[in-house]
Amino acid sequence: MGLLQLLKSQFLCHLIICYVFLVSGLIINLLQLCTLPVWLVSKQLARRINIRLAYCISSQMVAILEWWSGTECTLYTDPKSYPLYGKENAIVVLNHAFEIDFLCGWTFCERFGVLGSSKVLAKKQLAYVPIIGWMWYFLEIVFCKRKWEEDRRTVNESLEKLRDYPENFWFLLYCEGTRFTPKKHQVSMQVAESKGLSKLKYHLLPRTKGFWVTVQSLRGTAAAVYDSTLNFRNNEMPTLLGLLNGKKYHADLYVRRIPLELIPEDEKECAEWLHKLYQEKDSFQEHYAKTGRFPGPIMSPPRRPWSLINWLFWSCLLLYPLGLLLTQLISSGSVFTIVASVAVSSLGVRWMIGQTEIKRASNYGNKEVSLNNN
């Protein structure tokens, strides 16, 4: 193990990274709150400001993956579609099987310049979580309660508001509704059998109603669906803790651009189309398992320096007052205060990391009744 790698594995470094993220995130949340008066004067200006502020938060996590960990990202896609990425609004359909798949989705957004304006469909409870949840609130993220009759109207109204969005955005959608686990997969395939649907090996059954509402609401706004399938080389299961320890992974992402007009408008036909899409996604994963790569040519978008610059800016800005505080505590001899602060910080870091672990995934999808609402 080299000296740099040894340094990255030290818990003190993890504390510093999380300190910068937490404090800068709260500062940015406060700045976002200050944009509310701007919204009354110019909604579009307030949106543009919030896009930049949101980038300051989300790009720090991308910087951990790209610059701290050095994780490589290889894109398999059609060269004819490649020039359109980042130049149009799109719905990005992602598989949900890894602890850091959301971060790889953000990296995909970052490399094509739409990270600050990217959208997701998130649980309503997340709107109350500081930093990420509050950031999403000001970004007009779509929040749902996982109660279909309520969510149908909420999702439709939220997406309709994006028709005049001032910059290109991607709407990242996990159609499976929850992260893949063996237990959820078993339940999902029982539902597939009961409905006469083709079974999937690497995915859960997609949630067709949410997808249909999304597509219908964004017709005329989004140009295409980007069908995206993620995998990691050497059968690795990357974790956020691994990234913080500086472990380098290699992500492979297969993306197909499907014009939105090719997706049926009828709800039943759209559901059938989505099930067929997931059968194809399963075949891509099977191809990857056998060959170690996805089909098609490789297009490798380069890392952009902005996430690193933003990360260094906040680190320099916030580490100075931290250094002064530590110096004062040490000189005062307040050992108990120092130990207590480190202990609380350690628990906070462990809690943050734990939220991404697969074993901590929600129970949504563990029961047949919840998967039966397609």
Side-chain angles (χ1 to χ4, degrees):
M1 180 183 291
L3 180 60
L4 181 59
Q5 189 61 39
L6 179 63
L7 179 66
K8 289 181 178 180
S9 66
Q10 300 305 303
F11 186 69
L12 179 60
C13 289
H14 304 168
L15 280 178
I16 292 173
I17 290 173
C18 291
Y19 159 77
V20 171
F21 178 76
L22 290 172
V23 177
S24 66
L26 291 174
I27 292 173
I28 293 165
N29 284 161
L30 180 60
L31 293 175
Q32 289 182 302
L33 185 63
C34 294
T35 65
L36 289 177
V38 180
W39 187 279
L40 298 176
V41 178
S42 174
K43 181 175 72 172
Q44 300 298 56
L45 176 60
R47 281 171 156 176
R48 292 182 185 275
I49 293 173
N50 274 292
I51 288 172
R52 272 77 192 169
L53 292 175
Y55 180 84
C56 290
I57 294 177
S58 52
S59 68
Q60 289 188 53
M61 299 191 69
V62 171
I64 291 173
L65 183 139
E66 291 191 333
W67 299 97
W68 179 261
S69 164
T71 292
E72 299 286 345
C73 297
T74 299
L75 178 65
Y76 294 78
T77 194
D78 180 5
K80 295 180 180 179
S81 300
Y82 185 84
L84 297 173
Y85 298 156
K87 305 295 192 302
E88 60 184 4
N89 298 332
I91 301 168
V92 182
V93 175
L94 297 151
N95 59 318
H96 203 10
F98 303 97
E99 290 184 9
I100 64 166
D101 48 23
F102 75 97
L103 197 47
C104 292
W106 280 5
T107 301
F108 182 34
C109 294
E110 160 61 13
R111 297 201 178 188
F112 290 99
V114 293
L115 177 60
S117 58
S118 63
K119 316 291 180 188
V120 295
L121 182 64
K123 294 181 294 185
K124 179 66 176 178
Q125 296 90 322
L126 293 177
Y128 307 105
V129 176
I131 305 178
I132 296 294
W134 295 351
M135 172 191 79
W136 280 348
Y137 175 82
F138 286 99
L139 264 185
E140 302 169 78
I141 291 297
V142 182
F143 293 103
C144 64
K145 297 180 180 179
R146 288 178 169 172
K147 297 178 180 178
W148 173 241
E149 293 305 320
E150 295 182 43
D151 289 339
R152 178 171 184 165
R153 177 176 53 83
T154 301
V155 171
N156 181 64
E157 291 177 353
S158 298
L159 292 176
E160 286 287 338
K161 293 177 181 178
L162 299 179
R163 288 191 175 276
D164 63 342
Y165 207 71
E167 298 188 16
N168 291 325
F169 66 87
W170 289 356
F171 188 78
L172 278 58
L173 189 62
Y174 294 102
C175 291
E176 294 163 275
T178 185
R179 184 176 284 138
F180 184 101
T181 66
K183 182 178 180 181
K184 292 175 183 176
H185 181 253
Q186 181 182 11
V187 173
S188 182
M189 294 307 100
Q190 290 173 355
V191 175
E193 185 175 4
S194 69
K195 292 188 172 186
L197 298 172
S198 298
K199 292 187 176 181
L200 303 172
K201 183 177 180 180
Y202 300 96
H203 300 85
L204 307 178
L205 283 181
R207 314 288 296 181
T208 61
K209 290 184 178 180
F211 176 78
W212 175 72
V213 169
T214 300
V215 169
Q216 291 300 99
S217 300
L218 291 179
R219 285 191 188 275
T221 302
V225 165
Y226 297 166
D227 172 37
S228 308
T229 306
L230 175 70
N231 220 321
F232 287 87
R233 295 189 184 178
N234 304 316
N235 294 317
E236 289 191 297
M237 297 294 290
T239 63
L240 183 56
L241 182 59
L243 295 180
L244 286 175
N245 281 324
K247 185 174 181 180
K248 183 176 181 178
Y249 302 101
H250 197 130
D252 287 321
L253 184 67
Y254 178 58
V255 179
R256 295 186 297 166
R257 181 185 182 274
I258 305 171
L260 210 65
E261 57 266 23
L262 297 183
I263 302 175
E265 294 190 30
D266 178 75
E267 183 176 357
K268 183 179 179 181
E269 292 179 0
C270 183
E272 294 172 352
W273 182 92
L274 184 62
H275 282 298
K276 182 180 178 182
L277 182 79
Y278 267 76
Q279 293 164 25
E280 293 172 353
K281 289 171 75 70
D282 229 44
S283 68
F284 299 148
Q285 288 285 39
E286 184 69 24
H287 184 276
Y288 190 94
K290 292 179 178 179
T291 66
R293 56 163 292 146
F294 286 116
I298 293 176
M299 308 291 292
S300 298
R303 293 183 297 181
R304 305 195 318 157
W306 308 117
S307 60
L308 178 62
I309 292 172
N310 173 71
W311 193 30
L312 292 176
F313 166 77
W314 286 106
S315 298
C316 293
L317 182 67
L318 297 175
L319 288 180
Y320 177 70
L322 177 64
L324 292 179
L325 176 62
L326 291 177
T327 301
Q328 184 177 0
L329 288 174
I330 293 172
S331 61
S332 66
S334 181
V335 177
F336 174 77
T337 303
I338 297 173
V339 172
S341 300
V342 171
V344 171
S345 301
S346 301
L347 290 173
V349 171
R350 190 66 192 89
W351 179 83
M352 289 176 60
I353 294 172
Q355 301 313 299
T356 67
E357 294 175 349
I358 289 179
K359 64 182 180 182
R360 295 289 300 276
S362 73
N363 290 322
Y364 186 68
N366 279 335
K367 297 180 180 180
E368 182 171 338
V369 65
S370 45
L371 277 171
N372 211 25
N373 183 27
N374 283 297

